[in-house]
């Protein structure tokens, strides 16, 4: 059997199309323009690329978009003051401080200073707690797991995962734990596996839904995949690709794709799977914040 390939690029484009149309409607009906502020400290090239594409996509959606670039030696105090000024700015609905931050700044302190109602990353304790207790009407859900759920529900053709075993490999606060909570909210039976899990291949092989979010290139092999399973690969790993020429590299996921695609029922590719969904869901979260400010219902995806 050959798996259905889940086209994250196409689904992300659909989400952005909905956000763009709903933004135009929101502005026309209420005058509220969704506003997003992205803050980057330092000059990490990968972070600069991400931040530029977030700003570009926000403008395409019709948002008011600002990017604050602060020097590498910015003090924690100055960054906290920047966050506070964005918390107080009535035209900003979403604040994203690009991670990682320089070592002399306490990331946790910065995240917890963002007003929860503007925390479009969903990293603040209030949003984590709301997700954990099912208060998703007023929470922000982290973008990567939120996007993974959109892909999963599309692939399976259902919102209800009752009776399905889901295994999430990885227990990060950004992906593994929120993903497990989302799967649980959708009625799946959820296991969180990680580097200390016994018999990891066997645990994975019981999964109707397998989510790999460990950051280890092609760790999940075909014989870890239950025949017909839905496989969501959150990993993005750069590896050497001598077959493309000397010094060349390529992106691979946490799943050995070619062999697993022979076994799975559906699978996300890398690149072009979960990756494009992350920015799309950031736009969706920002629009949700603006809809809450305007007192109208936010679209669902
Ligand atoms: N750096 C890499 N991914 C992310 C993300 O999702 N949010 C933030 N704030 N920083 C990141």
């Amino acid at each position: 059997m050959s798996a259905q390939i889940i086209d994250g690029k196409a689904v992300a484009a659909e989400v952005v199309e909905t956000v763009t149309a709903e933004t135009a409607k929101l502005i026309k009906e209420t005058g509220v323009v969704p506003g997003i502020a992205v803050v980057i400290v330092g000059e990490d090239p990968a972070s600069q690329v991400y931040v530029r594409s977030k700003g570009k996509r926000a403008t395409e959606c019709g948002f008011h978009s600002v990017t604050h670039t602060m020097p590498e030696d910015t003090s924690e105090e100055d960054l906290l003051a920047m966050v506070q000024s964005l918390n107080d700015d009535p035209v900003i609905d979403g604040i994203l401080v690009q991670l990682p931050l320089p070592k002399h700044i306490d990331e946790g302190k910065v995240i917890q200073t963002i007003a929860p109602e503007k925390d479009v990353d969903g990293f603040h304790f209030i949003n984590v707690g709301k997700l954990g207790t099912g208060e998703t009407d007023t929470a922000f859900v982290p973008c990567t797991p939120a996007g993974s759920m959109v892909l999963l529900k599309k692939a399976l053709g259902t919102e209800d995962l009752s009776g399905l075993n889901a295994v999430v490999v990885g227990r990060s606060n950004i992906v593994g734990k929120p993903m497990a909570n989302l799967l649980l909210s959708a009625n799946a039976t959820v296991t969180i596996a990680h580097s200390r899990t016994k018999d990891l291949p066997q645990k994975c092989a019981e999964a109707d839904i397998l989510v790999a979010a460990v950051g280890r290139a092609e760790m999940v092999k075909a014989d870890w995949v239950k025949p017909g399973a839905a496989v969501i690969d959150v990993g993005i790993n750069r590896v050497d690709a001598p077959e493309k020429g000397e010094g060349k590299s390529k992106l691979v996921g946490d799943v050995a794709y070619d062999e697993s695609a022979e076994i799975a029922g559906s699978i996300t590719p890398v690149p072009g799977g979960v990756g494009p969904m992350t920015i799309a869901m950031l736009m969706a979260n920002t629009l949700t914040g603006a809809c809450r400010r305007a007192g109208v219902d936010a679209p669902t995806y």
Side-chain angles (χ1 to χ4, degrees):
M1 192 176 67
S2 204
Q4 173 208 344
I5 296 162
I6 305 170
D7 186 347
K9 218 169 144 187
V11 178
E14 281 172 30
V15 170
V16 168
E17 202 175 299
T18 303
V19 170
T20 305
E22 293 291 322
T23 295
K25 192 166 145 226
L26 179 73
I27 295 171
K28 189 158 168 248
E29 290 177 358
T30 70
V32 169
V33 181
I36 182 167
V38 177
V39 181
I40 176 170
V41 183
E43 277 158 21
D44 177 62
S47 291
Q48 284 180 328
V49 172
Y50 286 134
V51 165
R52 257 199 304 276
S53 46
K54 283 166 187 169
K56 186 164 162 266
R57 195 49 53 80
T59 305
E60 284 165 12
C61 288
F63 294 178
H64 164 63
S65 168
V66 291
T67 302
H68 293 281
T69 305
M70 303 177 82
E72 179 81 23
D73 62 357
T74 298
S75 68
E76 185 178 283
E77 192 188 355
D78 284 353
L79 179 56
L80 293 176
M82 167 63 78
V83 169
Q84 197 54 57
S85 78
L86 294 168
N87 285 345
D88 296 338
D89 187 340
V91 303
I92 295 298
D93 298 291
I95 301 169
L96 182 140
V97 178
Q98 184 68 25
L99 304 176
L101 288 169
K103 298 241 178 322
H104 64 278
I105 298 177
D106 180 345
E107 265 180 21
K109 203 162 162 187
V110 174
I111 290 167
Q112 301 312 325
T113 301
I114 298 171
E117 65 277 11
K118 296 190 178 189
D119 167 39
V120 280
D121 262 327
F123 295 165
H124 192 286
F125 293 149
I126 293 273
N127 286 312
V128 175
K130 283 183 173 180
L131 175 59
T133 50
E135 288 287 319
T136 39
D137 281 357
T138 62
F140 282 116
V141 177
C143 301
T144 300
S148 299
M149 284 304 285
V150 172
L151 294 182
L152 183 63
K153 289 177 174 179
K154 261 208 193 303
L156 296 176
T158 176
E159 296 274 315
D160 185 9
L161 308 179
S162 292
L164 297 177
N165 288 328
V167 174
V168 180
V169 190
R171 53 176 159 175
S172 70
N173 291 334
I174 294 179
V175 182
K177 286 178 200 164
M179 187 72 205
N181 267 322
L182 288 169
L183 289 161
L184 191 58
S185 296
N187 302 320
T189 302
V190 183
T191 301
I192 304 180
H194 47 81
S195 55
R196 309 286 179 92
T197 297
K198 200 171 140 193
D199 300 331
L200 184 57
Q202 195 186 321
K203 278 272 176 312
C204 292
E206 290 167 12
D208 303 300
I209 296 163
L210 180 58
V211 180
V214 274
R216 289 187 57 181
E218 300 178 321
M219 186 179 88
V220 175
K221 308 296 182 201
D223 61 357
W224 300 27
V225 176
K226 180 175 173 178
V231 178
I232 305 289
D233 189 351
V234 183
I236 300 178
N237 310 286
R238 188 161 284 284
V239 296
D240 292 340
E243 71 277 12
K244 287 171 67 181
E246 203 184 307
K248 296 280 185 194
S249 65
K250 63 175 179 180
L251 293 178
V252 298
D254 291 347
V255 178
Y257 180 81
D258 289 340
E259 58 181 58
S260 300
E262 295 294 312
I263 309 296
S266 52
I267 188 166
T268 59
V270 177
V274 174
M277 292 302 289
T278 299
I279 291 186
M281 297 318 289
L282 177 66
M283 300 302 123
N285 278 353
T286 304
L287 174 60
T288 296
C291 288
R292 289 175 186 159
R293 166 156 68 104
V296 300
D297 287 341
T300 54
Y301 302 91

